[in-house]
Amino acid sequence: MAKDVAIVLNRLMSSVAKLGGCMIVSLTCWAGAGSEGPRHYVFFNRDRERISDAAFLGTKAFEGAQLKYTWRELERGRDDYDFSAIQRDLTFLKSKGKKLFVQLQDASFDPNIVNVPRYLLSDARYHGGADKQYTIKDDDEEHAVPEGWVARRWDPAVQERFHRLLLALGNEFDGKVEGINLAETAVDFGESGRLFPNGFTPSTYRDAILTNMTALKRAFPKSVTMQYANFMPGEWLPGQDRSYLRSVYQRATELKVGVGGPDLLPYKPGQMSHSYPLIRQCAGKVPTGIAVQEGNYGHQNPKTGREVAISELVGFAREQLKVDYIFWCTEEPFYSRKLIPFLRDQRRGEERK
């Protein structure tokens, strides 16, 4: 496998170097959701054993599961890949008539969790492998609090290792899994530069996201590929628009990479000014998806002042965003008492037509 990956990687790096002047032709056999509406997947996060839950398997509206796998668990050591968890989950879901959507995670939202392989952290060639991101209140960077870690996506040495992982995954699972998505683009290192990691600038970060999307598509020409793109460092729309987020969506469309991300929060101003209009613009051109995260079920719709109903979430995703996929988290009591009954009733209604 390592030899095959190395050969393909050399070809990939050549095409990446020419990224500005070429367009990759998509081989993905993908059709939008159309009149049938979005496809529903359950995001079990890393609680992957829950794919055997009777409620999930017994709900026909759930096309499959979106499961999170971290870079660290998939690459135990340099070029030492272990994809057994993905294969096990894929085999089980397929036996039950369900599909698998992979979420590849290289970032965390916990200062005690680092999701990159250990060798990246210890080998000086990778400059630490990952960097802290922060919670910053009222722009007070002096008192910033670490909130997690993110792989050095903008670092060429780290990026080269990530591309090798993508190619190895593609060799094993392209065309077998429904899709694969990269983690959200949002990172927080502040704005002044005092918290910027070595080598990081908003523009180099943007360039890295574009390059990683190219590598993802090259590795998975058949399965759905998707970049979660919600916010980008160095800008805040609409007043401070440096085209970072817009350029991600533009390049994704050119590459035929899907777009989407967290969170499903109808009419929330930040999302309405950033990813939501861009997702809608991409509808029908590339696959699109939206994730219902923890806390989304209790969101108050600014237009009504009331907590959103499941029907509102589905309606907003379908009519306003026009997405192909909704990835539902399992936050209780919403998942069991509201979401599943709603989707089952909706499914029965469709079957009676």
Side-chain angles (χ1 to χ4, degrees):
M1 178 187 292
K3 182 177 179 181
D4 293 339
V5 170
I7 293 173
V8 179
L9 180 69
N10 288 334
R11 296 173 182 168
L12 169 65
M13 297 309 293
S14 175
S15 71
V16 168
K18 301 175 183 178
L19 183 59
C22 71
M23 181 180 297
I24 294 179
V25 178
S26 171
L27 300 179
T28 301
C29 296
W30 164 80
S35 60
E36 297 179 359
R39 300 160 185 168
H40 300 283
Y41 280 69
V42 178
F43 175 55
F44 286 114
N45 205 319
R46 296 191 68 193
D47 299 326
R48 301 192 294 252
E49 69 282 353
R50 292 191 61 187
I51 58 176
S52 62
D53 285 356
F56 164 66
L57 295 175
T59 302
K60 294 181 180 179
F62 291 141
E63 187 171 297
Q66 183 192 40
L67 303 178
K68 181 188 291 184
Y69 304 89
T70 69
W71 185 357
R72 174 172 286 204
E73 71 174 308
L74 296 178
E75 189 176 10
R76 304 292 184 175
R78 185 183 169 92
D79 292 323
D80 179 17
Y81 300 116
D82 181 358
F83 300 155
S84 58
I86 299 179
Q87 186 59 62
R88 181 171 58 250
D89 296 335
L90 176 62
T91 300
F92 176 81
L93 288 168
K94 187 175 180 180
S95 73
K96 302 298 182 180
K98 302 288 189 183
K99 299 178 181 179
L100 173 61
F101 210 108
V102 171
Q103 179 165 310
L104 181 57
Q105 196 72 20
D106 65 344
S108 75
F109 303 95
D110 184 328
N112 297 312
I113 296 176
V114 183
N115 282 330
V116 304
R118 289 180 176 84
Y119 76 87
L120 290 181
L121 307 178
S122 58
D123 192 325
R125 286 177 291 181
Y126 306 112
H127 312 107
D131 284 292
K132 293 178 182 177
Q133 44 183 337
Y134 299 88
T135 295
I136 303 170
K137 294 183 179 180
D138 302 322
D139 298 322
D140 183 6
E141 295 184 15
E142 184 177 354
H143 298 95
V145 177
E147 71 166 358
W149 295 81
V150 62
R152 289 176 54 82
R153 297 168 176 169
W154 59 93
D155 187 320
V158 175
Q159 203 172 56
E160 187 264 351
R161 298 306 309 169
F162 189 62
H163 293 176
R164 283 182 177 270
L165 171 66
L166 292 176
L167 288 165
L169 283 167
N171 283 342
E172 291 290 325
F173 299 111
D174 183 38
K176 299 177 182 178
V177 298
E178 170 71 4
I180 177 171
N181 72 274
L182 301 184
E184 65 186 73
T185 56
V187 292
D188 198 347
F189 304 126
E191 298 294 330
S192 71
R194 67 182 295 167
L195 298 175
F196 284 6
N198 180 38
F200 171 88
T201 67
S203 61
T204 58
Y205 182 77
R206 183 271 318 277
D207 293 345
I209 295 297
L210 302 184
T211 304
N212 286 347
M213 287 195 301
T214 305
L216 178 66
K217 189 61 183 180
R218 183 73 178 240
F220 285 86
K222 299 176 183 177
S223 297
V224 170
T225 53
M226 187 174 293
Q227 173 68 63
Y228 274 9
N230 48 350
F231 301 94
M232 289 286 282
E235 67 177 9
W236 187 259
L237 308 179
Q240 187 187 28
D241 185 355
R242 295 194 172 97
S243 294
Y244 295 143
L245 188 62
R246 295 181 192 280
S247 65
V248 170
Y249 278 80
Q250 179 180 349
R251 186 55 55 88
T253 303
E254 294 169 354
L255 297 173
K256 302 304 179 186
V257 169
V259 289
D263 295 79
L264 182 51
L265 300 167
Y267 301 105
K268 187 171 182 179
Q271 280 72 14
M272 294 295 289
S273 298
H274 287 80
S275 58
Y276 286 179
L278 296 171
I279 291 172
R280 182 185 174 99
Q281 289 172 18
C282 290
K285 301 175 184 177
V286 297
T288 56
I290 194 74
V292 179
Q293 307 276 52
E294 292 277 335
N296 289 184
Y297 292 110
H299 170 64
Q300 283 193 343
N301 184 337
K303 287 194 169 185
T304 65
R306 296 190 298 270
E307 182 179 293
V308 292
I310 298 297
S311 59
E312 285 183 83
L313 293 174
V314 173
F316 187 85
R318 177 174 182 170
E319 304 301 329
Q320 298 297 320
L321 302 181
K322 298 186 180 298
V323 297
D324 302 298
Y325 297 90
I326 303 179
F327 304 106
W328 299 94
C329 80
T330 57
E331 182 182 3
E332 297 291 7
F334 307 99
Y335 173 71
S336 297
R337 297 183 185 178
K338 294 186 177 182
L339 176 64
I340 289 178
F342 174 85
L343 292 179
R344 286 178 173 175
D345 287 346
Q346 186 181 62
R347 183 63 176 252
R348 284 193 289 266
E350 292 171 352
E351 291 174 347
R352 286 196 292 266
K353 291 181 180 179

